[in-house]
Amino acid sequence: REGDEMINFETKDIMLLYSLVNMKLRDEFSDLDDLVNYYGVDKDSLLNRFSEAGYEYSESENQFKKI
């Protein structure tokens, strides 16, 4: 995670955020808690942002999916 850029979880375009977060979950983080703790992001806010855009987090697959 060296040279990791800050990700603006609140304002980044949702499609870019979806792609970026799923890539990070696949390649670098064991689960969503690990990711939000690393970036200091409020998990509920992130889940709500994705939910409003029609996505939900699948724990078993460790990725966001279209509802």
Side-chain angles (χ1 to χ4, degrees), residues 4-56:
D4 220 346
E5 76 287 352
M6 270 313 294
I7 302 167
N8 192 327
F9 290 90
E10 290 81 30
T11 60
K12 190 172 237 358
D13 175 80
I14 194 66
M15 290 307 298
L16 293 174
L17 189 61
Y18 168 76
S19 176
L20 184 62
V21 167
N22 275 346
M23 181 190 71
K24 295 278 186 189
L25 288 169
R26 182 189 69 226
D27 296 343
E28 299 176 32
F29 297 96
S30 59
D31 59 27
L32 187 58
D33 288 327
D34 191 19
L35 182 140
V36 296
N37 289 335
Y38 179 82
Y39 286 106
V41 175
D42 182 71
K43 183 179 178 181
D44 290 334
S45 295
L46 186 63
L47 287 170
N48 286 338
R49 177 129 196 262
F50 274 110
S51 177
E52 287 169 4
Y55 297 94
E56 66 184 3

Side-chain angles (χ1 to χ4, degrees), residues 49-65:
R49 177 129 196 262
F50 274 110
S51 177
E52 287 169 4
Y55 297 94
E56 66 184 3
Y57 177 67
S58 167
E59 284 187 37
S60 62
E61 297 176 80
N62 191 33
Q63 66 178 328
F64 281 92
K65 304 200 83 140

